[in-house]
Amino acid sequence: MKKIFLLIGLLLTIGCFNLNQQSDDIIKSNGFIMDTEQKIMLASEDAVNLFKAIDKAWLDRDYNKIKSLVAKDATLRFANGEKGEGPDDLINLIEKEYQENLENGVEWGWNTEYAFAVKNSPTDDPKPGDIGEWVLAEFTNEKLNIIEWYQFNDGKLINWYQFNAPLE
């Protein structure tokens, strides 16, 4: 009789463990992507760490680091409407902004207000935006509120969008 109760207890324990395991495997998401069944999910801390590395390299004007983190064919969309491709175009933007700040007596730097990573739920028919993970970050400096989207795949920035508005 003790063996039967022990067996029942063991089966109940395993059954409860499996129920908990199944609920952990369910994709936790919200939001939507127009004309698809996809949703938005939180992504990994790895994407946030890649963002932090780019943010630091940008501030330090460490162009070798930028080249190592940005894909050669990365798509860049600047707040002023210009488009670029790859690390050299991003480096040119950084240097241009830095020189403009020097000429105008504006201190180089910004406050990173937040950053978080998201990704699209899996699909059988992925589009370019479905690849990898995205980081949304907000910054402020003396004059602007800046919002940027970074898309990372395989440890590299592959897509970047920048938007800004005056603080006043």
Side-chain angles (χ1 to χ4, degrees), residues 21-52:
Q21 184 65 38
Q22 289 172 349
S23 67
D24 289 343
D25 291 340
I26 295 172
I27 296 173
K28 296 176 181 141
S29 62
N30 63 25
F32 66 93
I33 300 172
M34 190 65 120
D35 298 325
T36 75
E37 296 295 318
Q38 289 178 276
K39 295 191 177 282
I40 307 298
M41 309 179 331
L42 286 178
S44 72
E45 192 69 19
D46 292 342
V48 173
N49 289 335
L50 284 167
F51 157 76
K52 288 178 181 178

Side-chain angles (χ1 to χ4, degrees), residues 41-111:
M41 309 179 331
L42 286 178
S44 72
E45 192 69 19
D46 292 342
V48 173
N49 289 335
L50 284 167
F51 157 76
K52 288 178 181 178
I54 286 179
D55 190 45
K56 181 175 181 354
W58 192 314
L59 180 64
D60 296 343
R61 295 174 41 244
D62 182 346
Y63 298 141
N64 287 327
K65 186 70 169 177
I66 294 283
K67 286 180 181 183
S68 75
L69 295 170
V70 178
K72 291 184 185 334
D73 60 349
T75 302
L76 311 169
R77 304 246 185 334
F78 304 101
N80 65 6
E82 292 181 33
K83 295 179 182 179
E85 184 175 306
D88 290 334
D89 284 352
L90 185 56
I91 289 166
N92 289 338
L93 166 81
I94 295 167
E95 193 58 28
K96 178 181 172 188
E97 285 181 346
Y98 178 76
Q99 294 304 325
E100 286 173 356
N101 282 359
L102 285 179
E103 291 169 11
N104 296 322
V106 176
E107 185 178 337
W108 177 247
W110 51 86
N111 294 316

Side-chain angles (χ1 to χ4, degrees), residues 50 54 66 68-77 84-87 90 127-135 149-161:
L50 284 167
I54 286 179
I66 294 283
S68 75
L69 295 170
V70 178
K72 291 184 185 334
D73 60 349
T75 302
L76 311 169
R77 304 246 185 334
E85 184 175 306
L90 185 56
K127 309 281 187 285
D130 296 327
I131 297 166
E133 299 180 335
W134 292 82
V135 171
W149 277 105
Y150 298 74
Q151 184 183 14
F152 295 102
N153 193 45
D154 294 329
K156 297 269 190 179
L157 178 70
I158 63 170
N159 216 336
W160 175 75
Y161 295 89

